[in-house]
Amino acid sequence: MDDRKPPNSQRAASKTAHTSDSLRLRAKARQIRLDILDMIYTAKGGHIGGAFSSADILTALFYAVMRFSPETLATGEGDRFVLSKGHACEGYYAILADRGFFPRTELASFLQYKSRLMGHPHPKIPGVEVATGSLGHGLSVAVGMALAAKLDGRRERVFCLAGDGELAEGSIWEAASAASHYRLGNLTCIIDRNGLQISGPTEEIMDPEPIEQRFAAFGWHTTDVDGHCFEELTAALHRTHGEQPALVTAHTVKGRGVSFMENQAGWHHRLPTVEEYHQAKAELKGHPC
Amino acid sequence: MAEPNRKAFSDTLLALAEANPDILALTSDSRGSASLNQFASALPRQLIEAGIAEQNIVGMAAGLAKSGKVPFVCSPAAFLSMRSIEQIKVDCAYSGANVKLIGISGGVSYGALGATHHSLQDLAVMRSIPGLTVVVPSDNQQTAELTSQIAYMEGPVYMRLGRQAVPSVHGPHMPSQLGRGLMLQDGQDLTLIGAGEVMPGVLEAAHMLEDGLGAAVRVVEIHTIKPLDEEIIMAAAETRAVVVVEEHSVHGGLGSACASVLSQFCPVPVCILGIPDEPPVTGSQSEIFRHYGLDAEGIHSRIAAFWQQLQRQRRRG
């Protein structure tokens, strides 16, 4: 097994997000939330709460942290991404379209008959490598990707975005063991810690805390950040920690960006009425972020 | 008696992996059961130990496959086919990951260890998963041939292997090709269809039937359960009845697959000999075969009864 130091430990210092970068990322995130709203409103389906809570994490990853484009995916020279919380696919699709994997106009086909853009990602969608949506699967797949890179001595990082509700899945902990066992310093798992799952607060359904102590006990390096602050997100995501896999707990607000959706479990997958749609759109456009 | 098929598999895999460093063997604390100790010594960098965690080993294999590796997950069929079935469906098949799932100690290989360790539902489950190739070889030569073929094909595969030494069913003159059934002998009265380690018993039973009933018996081996060689199965309708023998539950396995094809296109009486809908009796693989009539004598006597019943119906008809 290759013991080469994982990449990006030097990149961190030089790439700490500056204010101008944060402004750029905020503008991107605003556009992505508007795309999410339109997709869900048009399709009359989707998971708006988690899509909004994870929108800033995805923006930081795809526009500031990862080397990821149609070219890097084709040549195998970029970083890799697995959306373990596959139901938060709307923002992922909006970003893939924006990054040139498929036309932006295709977003309007979300959930439509014969569309590629189903309610959970799958590899027939350009840019998506693996199907996700059954919770608890993504981290194992990411471990396999990170292990392959390590075996081949490739300077590749693998990022996995998981939900806090899915930490109840046993397979997450099988993968957590394997990641530290194989010393996968090139693997980063981000938890979208919005505190709510479909039936209510995570603490009431199946308490995932203490998340960081649990991962630390499995041999991971852990950090927690404000999941809506680009400075904190990009700084934490750029950093690697030798051979330790990294866990970044991103504290987020479910439904973030629209006042009446924020912190409401009901907005896990509720659909906006026409009035709510217009109000949400107005808030997102004028949102100070 | 030759070697166990798992040994033929591991010898072939070692040769393939020596030539191709992207071929990996993944084990779930199962390197001994999979006969991979020699592989581990010869190619330690290509053996990935994943511990007793069948969900993770399959998900990881999908990630490795998506990174250009050709992972062979070698794990007891009982656990691989049930504990990790969702990872097989989603991470491997739906995701189109080039993962080779090797279910070792398949069927009732683990005999007296009991139903926890038997895989008698694996073929039913696997053959219903879109995009998955399902293979059950019978002897060493076929195991070696099909192992090479699945290594070179693109796409996920489930291959079930047994644990005990098995006699040879076909020599070098009869090579096996993925997706193509084999006619081991021709006959016009009755067709026996089988797969895997029941094949020696099926062949012997066919000879006993020829001697006893004077019937001309056709014997067909379906080592690839999916994609199914429908042509060779439909040709069985030329004979008066079909008997399918399998080391599997009578529900959903090769028997069901054959019955489904025949009933749609060319109805002919089909009798399925397998393990009934109950936790199997305690015993070795051969004792369990004998108990449920899956050895040569059992197959013979059950077919003889089926045949006489058919003759009676015919006379009445």
Side-chain angles (χ1 to χ4, degrees):
Chain A
M1 196 153 294
D2 192 289
D3 283 328
R4 177 195 301 226
K5 221 176 165 191
N8 285 1
S9 41
Q10 297 88 358
R11 234 199 270 173
S14 61
K15 270 207 139 183
T16 304
H18 298 298
T19 313
S20 60
D21 204 30
S22 291
L23 286 175
R24 175 181 69 91
L25 296 174
R26 277 174 205 166
K28 272 291 175 204
R30 175 178 296 135
Q31 184 54 52
I32 287 155
R33 282 197 174 84
L34 285 164
D35 286 344
I36 292 168
L37 179 68
D38 277 339
M39 286 164 75
I40 288 173
Y41 183 66
T42 309
K44 304 211 180 319
H47 292 80
I48 202 160
F52 279 177
S53 69
S54 59
D56 297 325
I57 301 167
L58 290 172
T59 302
L61 278 172
F62 283 90
Y63 295 96
V65 177
M66 287 199 295
R67 299 169 297 152
F68 190 86
S69 67
E71 293 72 39
T72 64
L73 202 58
T75 58
E77 286 165 0
D79 297 324
R80 318 277 293 278
F81 176 72
V82 178
L83 183 67
S84 194
K85 53 173 303 182
H87 57 285
C89 61
E90 297 88 349
Y92 187 26
Y93 296 166
I95 289 170
L96 290 173
D98 185 55
R99 296 301 306 266
F101 283 92
F102 54 87
R104 270 183 59 80
T105 49
E106 195 174 331
L107 294 176
S109 76
F110 179 56
L111 304 187
Q112 302 305 307
Y113 178 58
K114 289 192 172 177
S115 168
R116 290 190 289 197
L117 303 183
M118 293 191 197
H120 294 92
H122 59 93
K124 290 215 168 92
I125 301 171
V128 176
E129 291 201 78
V130 66
T132 52
S134 174
L135 297 173
H137 285 223
L139 192 55
S140 292
V141 178
V143 165
M145 290 176 173
L147 180 58
K150 186 165 180 171
L151 288 171
D152 292 343
R154 274 183 289 120
R155 293 170 59 82
E156 170 185 302
R157 290 185 63 190
V158 181
F159 294 88
C160 174
L161 176 58
D164 48 6
E166 73 174 295
L167 295 179
E169 292 280 8
S171 53
I172 288 277
W173 303 101
E174 293 184 9
S177 287
S180 58
H181 179 81
Y182 302 126
R183 301 170 188 231
L184 300 178
N186 56 346
L187 174 69
T188 298
C189 177
I190 306 125
I191 305 296
D192 179 6
R193 182 74 176 110
N194 60 35
L196 290 173
Q197 53 194 105
I198 195 164
S199 307
T202 50
E203 275 62 20
E204 289 174 19
I205 307 301
M206 185 51 66
D207 193 354
E209 293 293 350
I211 294 175
E212 284 167 64
Q213 285 93 322
R214 289 187 192 187
F215 273 91
F218 277 73
W220 288 55
H221 180 279
T222 65
T223 326
D224 73 320
V225 298
D226 176 346
H228 300 301
C229 171
F230 288 112
E231 285 82 357
E232 286 190 35
L233 275 170
T234 51
L237 294 173
H238 274 306
R239 232 173 276 133
T240 57
H241 306 278
E243 292 192 321
Q244 264 189 308
L247 177 87
V248 176
T249 310
H251 296 282
T252 58
V253 173
K254 198 152 185 168
R256 165 78 173 192
V258 175
S259 59
F260 57 89
M261 295 182 188
E262 290 190 354
N263 273 326
Q264 300 296 318
W267 280 100
H268 177 86
H269 62 177
R270 229 202 85 181
L271 297 175
T273 61
V274 62
E275 295 79 18
E276 287 167 339
Y277 167 74
H278 289 297
Q279 190 187 334
K281 198 157 187 169
E283 285 191 25
L284 286 172
K285 282 185 168 166
H287 197 273
C289 296
Chain B
M1 193 71 76
E3 291 177 321
N5 284 338
R6 55 183 171 139
K7 181 72 169 61
F9 160 76
S10 64
D11 289 349
T12 310
L13 189 68
L14 178 56
L16 290 165
E18 277 171 341
N20 178 2
D22 281 332
I23 290 182
L24 304 174
L26 274 65
T27 51
S28 58
D29 196 13
S30 50
R31 71 183 71 185
S33 320
S35 303
L36 284 168
N37 284 321
Q38 198 190 337
F39 186 108
S41 319
L43 300 172
R45 289 170 57 89
Q46 286 167 255
L47 186 122
I48 311 288
E49 177 57 72
I52 306 168
E54 290 83 7
Q55 296 181 75
N56 184 57
I57 198 175
V58 174
M60 243 172 53
L64 287 161
K66 288 283 173 178
S67 310
K69 302 293 179 190
V70 186
F72 279 73
V73 178
C74 308
S75 182
F79 315 128
L80 183 65
S81 68
M82 292 279 137
R83 189 63 159 268
S84 35
I85 191 63
E86 206 197 26
Q87 278 76 9
I88 293 172
K89 172 192 151 198
V90 177
D91 307 357
C92 299
Y94 184 36
S95 294
N98 190 24
V99 175
K100 314 306 172 187
L101 304 148
I102 311 301
I104 54 173
S105 305
V108 293
S109 289
Y110 274 135
L113 295 188
T116 53
H117 283 58
H118 298 161
S119 60
L120 294 170
Q121 301 78 24
D122 54 344
L123 305 181
V125 178
M126 296 299 173
R127 77 184 185 90
S128 68
I129 294 179
L132 193 66
T133 296
V134 182
V135 182
V136 185
S138 58
D139 68 1
N140 294 173
Q141 182 192 323
Q142 191 176 66
T143 300
E145 288 166 353
L146 295 177
T147 299
S148 294
Q149 290 172 37
I150 65 172
Y152 287 114
M153 69 165 268
E154 180 72 28
V157 178
Y158 173 75
M159 180 163 80
R160 184 220 268 192
L161 299 175
R163 186 175 177 80
Q164 318 302 337
V166 288
S168 177
V169 174
H170 13 58
H173 60 282
M174 194 179 272
S176 303
Q177 222 188 327
L178 264 183
R180 298 283 297 274
L182 288 170
M183 194 186 289
L184 302 184
Q185 65 175 55
D186 201 1
Q188 298 309 312
D189 291 328
L190 182 69
T191 303
L192 301 194
I193 300 178
E197 299 193 359
V198 296
M199 284 316 296
V202 169
L203 275 171
E204 202 184 323
H207 298 146
M208 290 160 77
L209 287 165
E210 286 166 339
D211 294 345
L213 299 177
V217 181
R218 182 181 296 185
V219 178
V220 171
E221 181 184 12
I222 302 290
H223 49 72
T224 307
I225 311 292
K226 193 183 178 184
L228 195 63
D229 184 348
E230 296 190 349
E231 208 172 305
I232 202 168
I233 291 166
M234 285 195 285
E238 296 162 6
T239 65
R240 288 170 47 204
V242 174
V243 178
V244 186
V245 186
E246 57 184 332
E247 185 180 359
H248 189 272
S249 160
V250 289
H251 300 306
L254 178 62
S256 296
C258 293
S260 167
V261 170
L262 289 165
S263 62
Q264 282 184 70
F265 300 108
C266 37
V268 58
V270 177
C271 172
I272 299 172
L273 305 183
I275 305 287
D277 200 13
E278 65 183 42
V281 66
T282 308
S284 65
Q285 182 191 33
S286 58
E287 286 166 335
I288 293 174
F289 276 14
R290 194 178 321 135
H291 182 85
Y292 292 110
L294 297 175
D295 61 348
E297 284 178 6
I299 296 168
H300 169 257
S301 61
R302 291 169 80 188
I303 293 176
F306 174 63
W307 185 252
Q308 275 157 16
Q309 193 186 335
L310 279 179
Q311 301 282 54
R312 278 198 300 275
Q313 281 174 1
R314 215 173 175 211
R315 279 197 293 273
R316 275 204 300 271

